[in-house]
Amino acid sequence: MSNEHPPTVGEHTRAAINEDWAATIVGLVLLALVITGVIPTGLVP
């Protein structure tokens, strides 16, 4: 048996919030690249 314990609710919530913020930042960066023309409009559906 392992001595490791499952993550607590606080640890799990903190990880989920970090993943949500990462996805938000990536989405905003992609949006900015499309608006500025770095990504051509042909690649955007």
Side-chain angles (χ1 to χ4, degrees):
M1 292 194 103
S2 175
N3 287 338
E4 295 181 24
H5 62 283
T8 63
V9 174
E11 291 172 348
H12 183 266
T13 303
R14 185 176 19 200
I17 291 172
N18 289 340
E19 291 170 3
D20 291 343
W21 277 112
T24 301
I25 291 169
V26 168
L28 290 173
V29 167
L30 288 173
L31 179 64
L33 291 174
V34 170
I35 290 173
T36 58
V38 174
I39 297 177
T41 56
L43 292 178
V44 180

